[in-house]
Amino acid sequence: MTGLDVRVEALEMVYEVDGEQVHALRGVDLEIAAGSSMALLGPSGSGKSSLLTLLAGLQKPTSGRALIGGQDVSAMSERALLALRAREVGVVMQGPARNLLPYANAEDNVRFAQRAVPRDRRDRLRSPADLLEQLGLGHVRRSRLGALSGGEQQRLSLAVGLAGAPGLLLADEPTSQLDAVNRAHVVEMLVTAAAGGTTIVVVTHDEHIASQVDRTLALRDGEIVS
Amino acid sequence: MPSLTLALRALWYRRGVSLAVLLVATITTAAAAAGALYQRAGGESVLRDALTAAPVSTSGIEVTSADLPQNDPLGSLQKQLAKAGPPFAHTRRVLSLQNSLDAGGKQGPARTRLLWREGACEHLRITAGHCPTGPQDALISTRMMRSTGFGIGSQITGCPGAQTYFGACSQPGGSVRVRVVGTYALPEADPYWFDGPYFEAHSGNNDQPDTLDATFLSRDGADHLPATAYLTAVAQYRLDPATVRLDDEARLRAQVTHFTNTLEAGQDGTRALTSLPTVLDKADADRRDLGRSVLVVTLQLVALAFVVLRLVVADASEARGGEVALAKLRGYRAGPTLLLGLLEPIVLLVLAVPLGLLAADVAVRLLGDAVLAPGTPVVIRSPSLLAAAGALAGGLVAAAYAGRRLLTRPVLEQWRRTGDVQPGRAGTVIEMLVGMGSLIGLVALLSRGVLHEGSHSALPLLVPLLLVVVVAVLGVRLLPAVCATLVRRTRASSRLGPFLAVRTVARRPAGLRLAALLAVAVGLATFAVDGSLVAAGNRAERASTDVGAAKVVIVRTEGTADLRRLVRRVDPDGTWAMAAELWLPFGGMRGTVLAVDSDAFAHVAHWRDDFAPLSQPKLAAAIGGPAPSRLLLTGDAVAVDLTPVTLPTPTHDVQLLVTGAHGQQTLPLGELRAGTHRYAARLPACGTGCTLDGIVVPPGGQSGADVKGALRISGISDHRAGAWHLLPVDLGEPGAWHQQLVSSPATSEVTPLPNGLTWRFSVSGGDVPVLLRSTLPWPLHVAAGRDAVLDPALPAVANFDGLSVPIDPVTAVDVVPQQGQQSSLVDLDFVRIALPRFEEFATQQVWLSDAAPRDAVERLRATGLQIVDTRTTTAQRALLDRSAPALGLLLFAFAAAAAAVLAAGATAVALYLSGRRRSFELAAMLVVGAPRRSLLAAAVGEQLLVLGTALVLGVTGGLAAALLVLPAVPELPEGGAPALRYAPHVGGLTLFLVVLAAVVVATAAGAALGLLRQARPGLLREAAP
Ligand SMILES: Nc1ncnc2c1ncn2[C@@H]1O[C@H](COP(=O)(O)OP(=O)(O)OP(=O)(O)O)[C@@H](O)[C@H]1O
Ligand SMILES: [Mg+2]
């Protein structure tokens, strides 16, 4: 698999809340090479999630550009963005609830993610059972979501993000609720994915993850500080 | 592609919301389908009732043929009938041959109907002898036997067809002779007799002979009558109402028209008589009225249901916002994403079609069993199917609308707003348009005068919805403004709960649309509850007034039996049974006169306080009033002190009328002389005592001349123990004496004196002046109906025999039970005394109250009363309950109930869905240290504020609508008594309000508790956008 490179140019994000402006990002410039991994660090409210959702094309920046594999996601149509995400970009949102269908079991959740992938790329996908087995979730393959522990749900969220074998994985705090053992599992998953050529951007407060990725970047008040 | 199994699992996962959507969609479909179904079933019921209620002779056809060849009149008629074909599908035909026969009876000439009637003996009870078989055989009624003196073996000779001429038959050789071979008892009500006047014996009016019951002949006997008998051949076709369906109506009309036309175009003198088309026309008109009501009600319900459906479908697809966002996150294209968001609602909508049809079918069937005419068919037909399809289409449109939102909303927003539909600008505009439209509609309707009483229009039924919509939309708009001012107030106060509650309401108008909807539903329900109760009360009142008492038995006494005494034999105190006779005066008064046992009247007859200015017991006492005391004679002789003021010429005797052990006798007192004298006579055997009944002034010489005179009576004494004792009575008591009524012109004047009276009299035509001691309050006491007394200067009432009794209209009566307006009440005993032949044209009845024992009718029968027919208030009530106007209102009540269920469903869904988001807020408040109790108070307060406003607005609007609209909504068939009442049904409304308030409080508290339970601080981590 070939990863996608990411380039961010003078990205600004300003929210309007009750008539007041909130500067979430203040001119962020950034470049991530294809196939490399990067951790985004920073205190709460520093704009990490905002940056990630801009990269995923889930919202448009106030100004600046974000390019993925050379394509400007900030200027793309909704349709093209859907296609891009289906084909190339795996997203793991903050909190497991947003990443999973609440009434489907683990396997169905993986399958749901894979069905979005265009046919010509499906041959590269691994079967849901395999994928879950590899992530140590084989025993809860058929369990209802509600029967899964918080940690298992979080790991499943990451599994779903990776289910489509994306060229770019955007993961927002994938280890927030995990203990040390589970964190290690997740890090192993990320490392494996990176080894497969996937570009990885992970938002985290977790030093352990930070130490395992190629590069770390710190945000404060919407600006890159290191 | 999301699979169907996934969709089903999603349905189950959100079973609460799914169920609500299914419920609302089912009700919408059912509402649309039920209207058509109900209209059809109601129409069948109305038609069936119209045909059943019509007398058999009205719904049936009678063909009479008078000028037929007399050798075989029946054969000739049958040929014509065969040519015309049967008029109905299921024909019951009875043939007969008849003519009248004038014959001499015991009391002079009398007329009977000579009749051969197919199958008559199977419908008669033979009391002696046998059915006529031979050519000369005749069967007469036991009543005729008694009144004429004919018996088995008697020969009856007479002239047929009123061709009498000075006692002989005008046609030579035209006399008829038959021999009585049996007697029959008068039959009870039986449709077989086709309402024919066969058993209506009565005295002859003026110089007509008396009429006797019918005399039955055998077929042979009819054929053997001489040709001069001019028999009329009659064929009667009876319609069986149970066989006629709406579908048959057009064919039935065509068939009947063809039948009558064919017959009347054929032989001269053949006539086919029927009022069936009129009956059908009336049923059609009623059905059209019902159809209009059904349409108006159904349209309202469907419109309301559609609004709720739109809300619920939007809510349900909104609830899937998270999953739709997830699908977009994964990059699904529009089609699959839409499917994910809408598959669930669509599956539910489709599922609701059969369920709705089934529900409509079951509901209308249940309703049919409960109120419609027994055996009314309920069949789903194309209009219902079309309506259901329409509802599905509407639901799909709502789903499509919701789908558009799903597709266009940004992913992140979709997550953030899960579960809380904020009204868009379009929604607000629509809401305002609905409000304005309703207002305009309301004003237009009111200014066009749809609220006039007695209109046939169904438009008044539109007013409640429009009114409550206006009240709800405008009222709910005011709530945030009110809350905003309250915010300013509560901010200053130290209490957090109320502040939070009003602040939330002021800032979140989403719940307000729901509140408006709830207010509309509550308003309609209030109107329906009040309207139903008020109308039910009016129907009950009308049914009771129509029948007169809980049960009314039409009876016949044979001979001169005293009905009141017979009835008192089964109910000695007159507490549950009352004798009553209905009479139509022959002069002096307009309308019917109901003669009642006035002692039982207040116990048995139905009454409402506005029937008369007097209360029921007072009115009964007024007409019953005590009769003057009797003049009891206990000695061996009687004497009267008389002074002729004007001596009648020529000389006249004077006599006393005295009743002793052997009945009434006249005691001669000798010739009247000038001056005051005591006239004495020995008393006959008195047994327990004699009574002095009157004073007679018979002519001394030959009779025939007019008599004129005046007598003063100054004392009555009886002779006891060898001395005369003056009777201690006030002879001058007003009304205690009156001159006996005669049919020839007469005048009289009774003037009371300090210790006696003066009687001036003048009679003509050979009548004898008689001064009677009154045995009834004189003049006859009458509770007179409106305008009943024709000559208020000389109030009187006359019978067919020419007797005219002066009356005293002691009180007015506006409504007489059973008879309605234009009827008067009188005491039965007194009218019988005053007009001895009053009963000959009266209908005899026994009224029974609710307190009557179960076997009351059997007990009456055991006294020898013949039971002809029975009517009950319950049956009448059932009939009124399924009259077209009642059916329209009933549907409205059901629609309002459905609307309430819909609104409740929508509220439940909305509360459930907004719960999640609200619990985040509460969790946040908990984190910053707000006390749990304040938060609970705030949550309860907020729900109460919204739901309570809906309640208050709804009830206000509904009550206003009830007061405004009810008088214009047709409730009962027109033109009955008493006047309808529209005062709100306080008891029912209070109960309704209490239940409603309890539900609202429970809902508010439950929803608030649920919110707080969900609000854990941990929630916040998942929540942050
Ligand atoms: N949709 C939004 N509307 C308004 N303000 C927003 C929105 N999303 C984020 N913000 C604001 O933008 C700023 C950055 O938010 P963001 O979620 O990117 O921070 P974060 O670094 O991811 O924080 P955390 O570590 O708590 O997840 C914050 O001040 C936040 O309140
Ligand atoms: Mg974040």
Side-chain angles (χ1 to χ4, degrees), chain A residues 9-47:
Chain A
E9 296 171 357
L11 205 58
E12 293 213 19
M13 189 67 202
V14 181
Y15 296 107
E16 195 132 337
V17 179
D18 288 341
E20 286 179 32
Q21 297 201 328
V22 178
H23 287 262
L25 294 174
R26 306 168 188 263
V28 172
D29 293 292
L30 180 65
E31 214 159 328
I32 307 170
S36 72
S37 57
M38 187 187 79
L40 267 176
L41 300 167
S44 189
S46 54

Side-chain angles (χ1 to χ4, degrees), chain B residues 767-789:
Chain B
D767 280 317
V768 176
V770 180
L771 181 68
L772 291 175
R773 176 74 184 176
S774 305
T775 46
L776 68 155
W778 194 267
L780 182 63
H781 287 186
V782 169
R786 204 186 291 160
D787 301 331
V789 180

Side-chain angles (χ1 to χ4, degrees), chain B residues 196-211:
Chain B
Y198 307 125
F199 315 107
E200 291 175 6
H202 56 85
S203 299
N205 199 352
N206 297 327
D207 38 356
Q208 294 286 312
D210 290 351
T211 297

Side-chain angles (χ1 to χ4, degrees), chain B residues 249-325:
Chain B
E249 196 191 319
R251 189 153 33 92
L252 182 63
R253 279 177 187 271
Q255 230 173 336
V256 168
T257 310
H258 171 78
F259 180 79
T260 52
N261 287 349
T262 313
L263 280 173
E264 297 201 343
Q267 184 98 26
D268 270 358
T270 300
R271 289 278 163 273
L273 275 181
T274 179
S275 297
L276 183 59
T278 320
V279 175
L280 293 177
D281 287 348
K282 173 77 176 65
D284 284 354
D286 280 353
R287 208 176 60 240
R288 275 194 298 276
D289 282 355
L290 175 62
R292 277 193 288 269
S293 306
V294 168
L295 186 69
V296 167
V297 172
T298 305
L299 283 181
Q300 291 183 62
L301 180 59
V302 168
L304 194 71
F306 185 70
V307 170
V308 175
L309 185 64
R310 215 184 70 78
L311 275 181
V312 176
V313 166
D315 280 348
S317 51
E318 198 64 34
R320 311 212 59 191
E323 288 134 77
V324 167

